mmCIF file of all heavy atoms in Angstrom:
data_model
loop_
_atom_site.group_PDB
_atom_site.id
_atom_site.type_symbol
_atom_site.label_atom_id
_atom_site.label_comp_id
_atom_site.label_asym_id
_atom_site.label_seq_id
_atom_site.Cartn_x
_atom_site.Cartn_y
_atom_site.Cartn_z
ATOM 1 N N MET A 1381 21.961 -11.571 9.240
ATOM 2 C CA MET A 1381 22.070 -12.693 10.171
ATOM 3 C C MET A 1381 23.096 -12.441 11.289
ATOM 4 O O MET A 1381 23.215 -13.237 12.210
ATOM 5 C CB MET A 1381 22.419 -13.969 9.410
ATOM 6 C CG MET A 1381 21.373 -14.357 8.374
ATOM 7 S SD MET A 1381 19.749 -14.662 9.110
ATOM 8 C CE MET A 1381 20.095 -16.145 10.046
ATOM 9 N N THR A 1382 23.822 -11.329 11.202
ATOM 10 C CA THR A 1382 24.718 -10.930 12.292
ATOM 11 C C THR A 1382 24.019 -9.959 13.236
ATOM 12 O O THR A 1382 23.944 -10.175 14.442
ATOM 13 C CB THR A 1382 26.004 -10.285 11.742
ATOM 14 O OG1 THR A 1382 26.695 -11.229 10.927
ATOM 15 C CG2 THR A 1382 26.918 -9.838 12.880
ATOM 16 N N THR A 1383 23.483 -8.872 12.675
ATOM 17 C CA THR A 1383 22.871 -7.834 13.510
ATOM 18 C C THR A 1383 21.441 -8.163 13.913
ATOM 19 O O THR A 1383 20.948 -7.666 14.926
ATOM 20 C CB THR A 1383 22.884 -6.480 12.782
ATOM 21 O OG1 THR A 1383 22.140 -6.595 11.546
ATOM 22 C CG2 THR A 1383 24.301 -6.038 12.484
ATOM 23 N N GLY A 1384 20.764 -9.002 13.124
ATOM 24 C CA GLY A 1384 19.385 -9.346 13.443
ATOM 25 C C GLY A 1384 19.219 -10.015 14.793
ATOM 26 O O GLY A 1384 18.458 -9.533 15.654
ATOM 27 N N PRO A 1385 19.919 -11.122 15.042
ATOM 28 C CA PRO A 1385 19.779 -11.784 16.338
ATOM 29 C C PRO A 1385 20.212 -10.896 17.513
ATOM 30 O O PRO A 1385 19.678 -11.010 18.615
ATOM 31 C CB PRO A 1385 20.702 -13.005 16.210
ATOM 32 C CG PRO A 1385 20.852 -13.239 14.749
ATOM 33 C CD PRO A 1385 20.789 -11.882 14.118
ATOM 34 N N LEU A 1386 21.167 -10.013 17.272
ATOM 35 C CA LEU A 1386 21.681 -9.169 18.339
ATOM 36 C C LEU A 1386 20.748 -8.009 18.687
ATOM 37 O O LEU A 1386 20.480 -7.737 19.861
ATOM 38 C CB LEU A 1386 23.056 -8.603 17.945
ATOM 39 C CG LEU A 1386 24.245 -9.555 17.936
ATOM 40 C CD1 LEU A 1386 25.449 -8.881 17.295
ATOM 41 C CD2 LEU A 1386 24.577 -10.002 19.364
ATOM 42 N N HIS A 1387 20.256 -7.302 17.671
ATOM 43 C CA HIS A 1387 19.708 -5.976 17.931
ATOM 44 C C HIS A 1387 18.323 -5.702 17.350
ATOM 45 O O HIS A 1387 17.756 -4.641 17.632
ATOM 46 C CB HIS A 1387 20.671 -4.906 17.385
ATOM 47 C CG HIS A 1387 22.021 -4.949 17.995
ATOM 48 N ND1 HIS A 1387 23.178 -4.719 17.285
ATOM 49 C CD2 HIS A 1387 22.420 -5.221 19.271
ATOM 50 C CE1 HIS A 1387 24.223 -4.833 18.081
ATOM 51 N NE2 HIS A 1387 23.793 -5.143 19.284
ATOM 52 N N TRP A 1388 17.783 -6.576 16.520
ATOM 53 C CA TRP A 1388 16.510 -6.296 15.830
ATOM 54 C C TRP A 1388 15.391 -5.965 16.825
ATOM 55 O O TRP A 1388 14.824 -4.876 16.803
ATOM 56 C CB TRP A 1388 16.150 -7.501 14.979
ATOM 57 C CG TRP A 1388 14.874 -7.440 14.213
ATOM 58 C CD1 TRP A 1388 13.714 -8.118 14.488
ATOM 59 C CD2 TRP A 1388 14.603 -6.704 13.012
ATOM 60 N NE1 TRP A 1388 12.753 -7.855 13.536
ATOM 61 C CE2 TRP A 1388 13.273 -6.989 12.626
ATOM 62 C CE3 TRP A 1388 15.361 -5.835 12.224
ATOM 63 C CZ2 TRP A 1388 12.678 -6.429 11.482
ATOM 64 C CZ3 TRP A 1388 14.777 -5.278 11.082
ATOM 65 C CH2 TRP A 1388 13.446 -5.576 10.733
ATOM 66 N N GLU A 1389 15.078 -6.911 17.685
ATOM 67 C CA GLU A 1389 14.011 -6.686 18.665
ATOM 68 C C GLU A 1389 14.411 -5.634 19.690
ATOM 69 O O GLU A 1389 13.605 -4.777 20.080
ATOM 70 C CB GLU A 1389 13.670 -7.998 19.374
ATOM 71 C CG GLU A 1389 12.596 -7.855 20.441
ATOM 72 C CD GLU A 1389 12.340 -9.149 21.194
ATOM 73 O OE1 GLU A 1389 12.442 -10.240 20.587
ATOM 74 O OE2 GLU A 1389 12.046 -9.077 22.408
ATOM 75 N N LEU A 1390 15.662 -5.674 20.112
ATOM 76 C CA LEU A 1390 16.151 -4.736 21.125
ATOM 77 C C LEU A 1390 15.941 -3.287 20.707
ATOM 78 O O LEU A 1390 15.434 -2.466 21.482
ATOM 79 C CB LEU A 1390 17.643 -4.991 21.380
ATOM 80 C CG LEU A 1390 18.380 -3.974 22.254
ATOM 81 C CD1 LEU A 1390 17.873 -4.022 23.681
ATOM 82 C CD2 LEU A 1390 19.883 -4.211 22.194
ATOM 83 N N LEU A 1391 16.319 -2.953 19.494
ATOM 84 C CA LEU A 1391 16.219 -1.572 19.028
ATOM 85 C C LEU A 1391 14.771 -1.110 18.921
ATOM 86 O O LEU A 1391 14.443 0.035 19.267
ATOM 87 C CB LEU A 1391 16.933 -1.413 17.683
ATOM 88 C CG LEU A 1391 18.454 -1.400 17.748
ATOM 89 C CD1 LEU A 1391 19.066 -1.616 16.376
ATOM 90 C CD2 LEU A 1391 18.955 -0.093 18.356
ATOM 91 N N GLN A 1392 13.909 -1.994 18.439
ATOM 92 C CA GLN A 1392 12.500 -1.609 18.314
ATOM 93 C C GLN A 1392 11.867 -1.345 19.671
ATOM 94 O O GLN A 1392 11.161 -0.352 19.868
ATOM 95 C CB GLN A 1392 11.731 -2.706 17.576
ATOM 96 C CG GLN A 1392 12.158 -2.838 16.122
ATOM 97 C CD GLN A 1392 11.499 -4.001 15.439
ATOM 98 O OE1 GLN A 1392 10.296 -3.973 15.182
ATOM 99 N NE2 GLN A 1392 12.262 -5.035 15.120
ATOM 100 N N ARG A 1393 12.140 -2.227 20.609
ATOM 101 C CA ARG A 1393 11.555 -2.053 21.927
ATOM 102 C C ARG A 1393 12.179 -0.858 22.654
ATOM 103 O O ARG A 1393 11.503 -0.162 23.431
ATOM 104 C CB ARG A 1393 11.719 -3.338 22.741
ATOM 105 C CG ARG A 1393 10.965 -4.517 22.120
ATOM 106 C CD ARG A 1393 11.053 -5.773 22.958
ATOM 107 N NE ARG A 1393 10.313 -5.610 24.193
ATOM 108 C CZ ARG A 1393 10.361 -6.475 25.211
ATOM 109 N NH1 ARG A 1393 11.163 -7.529 25.129
ATOM 110 N NH2 ARG A 1393 9.647 -6.267 26.293
ATOM 111 N N ALA A 1394 13.456 -0.592 22.394
ATOM 112 C CA ALA A 1394 14.111 0.574 22.996
ATOM 113 C C ALA A 1394 13.506 1.872 22.487
ATOM 114 O O ALA A 1394 13.203 2.784 23.265
ATOM 115 C CB ALA A 1394 15.608 0.538 22.711
ATOM 116 N N ARG A 1395 13.324 1.979 21.148
ATOM 117 C CA ARG A 1395 12.726 3.186 20.604
ATOM 118 C C ARG A 1395 11.305 3.365 21.124
ATOM 119 O O ARG A 1395 10.881 4.475 21.463
ATOM 120 C CB ARG A 1395 12.703 3.127 19.064
ATOM 121 C CG ARG A 1395 14.057 3.102 18.359
ATOM 122 C CD ARG A 1395 14.822 4.424 18.467
ATOM 123 N NE ARG A 1395 15.596 4.480 19.682
ATOM 124 C CZ ARG A 1395 16.774 3.884 19.878
ATOM 125 N NH1 ARG A 1395 17.335 3.201 18.910
ATOM 126 N NH2 ARG A 1395 17.404 3.995 21.028
ATOM 127 N N ALA A 1396 10.540 2.275 21.179
ATOM 128 C CA ALA A 1396 9.158 2.356 21.664
ATOM 129 C C ALA A 1396 9.108 2.772 23.129
ATOM 130 O O ALA A 1396 8.290 3.609 23.524
ATOM 131 C CB ALA A 1396 8.471 1.010 21.470
ATOM 132 N N ASN A 1397 9.992 2.208 23.941
ATOM 133 C CA ASN A 1397 10.005 2.514 25.365
ATOM 134 C C ASN A 1397 10.463 3.943 25.632
ATOM 135 O O ASN A 1397 9.836 4.681 26.403
ATOM 136 C CB ASN A 1397 10.929 1.536 26.090
ATOM 137 C CG ASN A 1397 11.011 1.817 27.580
ATOM 138 O OD1 ASN A 1397 10.079 1.541 28.313
ATOM 139 N ND2 ASN A 1397 12.131 2.366 28.020
ATOM 140 N N ASP A 1398 11.539 4.355 25.000
ATOM 141 C CA ASP A 1398 12.093 5.682 25.267
ATOM 142 C C ASP A 1398 11.153 6.797 24.824
ATOM 143 O O ASP A 1398 11.066 7.845 25.475
ATOM 144 C CB ASP A 1398 13.436 5.846 24.550
ATOM 145 C CG ASP A 1398 14.526 4.973 25.146
ATOM 146 O OD1 ASP A 1398 14.326 4.441 26.247
ATOM 147 O OD2 ASP A 1398 15.586 4.824 24.500
ATOM 148 N N LEU A 1399 10.467 6.583 23.698
ATOM 149 C CA LEU A 1399 9.665 7.649 23.105
ATOM 150 C C LEU A 1399 8.174 7.435 23.281
ATOM 151 O O LEU A 1399 7.380 8.272 22.889
ATOM 152 C CB LEU A 1399 10.013 7.782 21.619
ATOM 153 C CG LEU A 1399 11.497 8.056 21.368
ATOM 154 C CD1 LEU A 1399 11.807 7.989 19.888
ATOM 155 C CD2 LEU A 1399 11.896 9.412 21.936
ATOM 156 N N GLN A 1400 7.774 6.291 23.837
ATOM 157 C CA GLN A 1400 6.380 5.987 24.157
ATOM 158 C C GLN A 1400 5.493 6.117 22.919
ATOM 159 O O GLN A 1400 4.547 6.887 22.880
ATOM 160 C CB GLN A 1400 5.911 6.887 25.297
ATOM 161 C CG GLN A 1400 6.732 6.673 26.573
ATOM 162 C CD GLN A 1400 6.346 7.610 27.691
ATOM 163 O OE1 GLN A 1400 6.315 8.823 27.500
ATOM 164 N NE2 GLN A 1400 6.073 7.063 28.867
#
Side-chain angles (χ1 to χ4, degrees):
M1381 299 300 292
T1382 299
T1383 60
L1386 288 170
H1387 300 142
W1388 179 253
E1389 178 184 326
L1390 171 67
L1391 285 165
Q1392 293 174 70
R1393 297 183 69 190
R1395 296 291 86 79
N1397 179 74
D1398 291 347
L1399 303 172
Q1400 299 176 307

